[in-house]
Amino acid sequence: VQLQASGGGLVQAGGSLRLSCAASGRPFSNYIMGWFRQAPGKEREFVATITWNGGRTYRANSVSGRFTISRDNAKNTVYLQMNSLRPEDTAVYYCAAGGNIATANPDYWGQGTLVTVSS
């Protein structure tokens, strides 16, 4: 599976962005999907995950109530809607597919998209 993330950019605190991750190569609907992020000088951390049919989602406490993960299996795409952004959300955001999302060991990683939140 190849994963292509997009949608990052520069936004002011309190603003919103929607990230997209387009998948190709294998049936997208077979895979659990997730988003991670890595801030400068920090380790990569889990952000959110969604089951193969979108029936269940989980988010990190740090983004709960602000970020929403969703997917469109017909478009082979997973999304991360980010609202009420804070400077501490600044990071490179990565999408991931399959494997063990909970332990940051997916089968596949995307290339990352940079989100910068200014204060």
Side-chain angles (χ1 to χ4, degrees):
V1 174
Q2 290 78 46
L3 303 173
Q4 181 72 39
S6 61
L10 175 63
V11 63
Q12 288 189 332
S16 299
L17 281 175
R18 188 176 81 156
L19 305 183
S20 300
C21 177
S24 61
R26 289 195 176 185
F28 175 74
S29 60
N30 289 352
Y31 293 93
I32 187 171
M33 299 294 296
W35 287 96
F36 293 79
R37 67 186 182 185
Q38 187 167 18
K42 295 188 177 181
E43 293 186 353
R44 190 172 298 187
E45 64 174 2
F46 166 79
V47 175
T49 186
I50 187 167
T51 53
W52 69 274
N53 63 351
R56 287 189 294 178
T57 63
Y58 301 93
R59 292 169 293 186
N61 289 337
S62 59
V63 305
S64 183
R66 301 187 298 122
F67 291 11
T68 302
I69 188 172
S70 62
R71 68 191 294 162
D72 185 338
N73 286 347
K75 295 183 178 180
N76 291 343
T77 301
V78 62
Y79 304 99
L80 185 68
Q81 178 66 44
M82 305 185 295
N83 299 329
S84 301
L85 282 161
R86 305 167 180 169
E88 54 264 38
D89 294 318
T90 295
V92 177
Y93 284 71
Y94 298 89
C95 59
N100 193 330
I101 297 288
T103 61
N105 286 289
D107 289 334
Y108 306 98
W109 288 103
Q111 89 289 1
T113 185
L114 177 62
V115 172
T116 304
V117 184
S118 63
S119 57

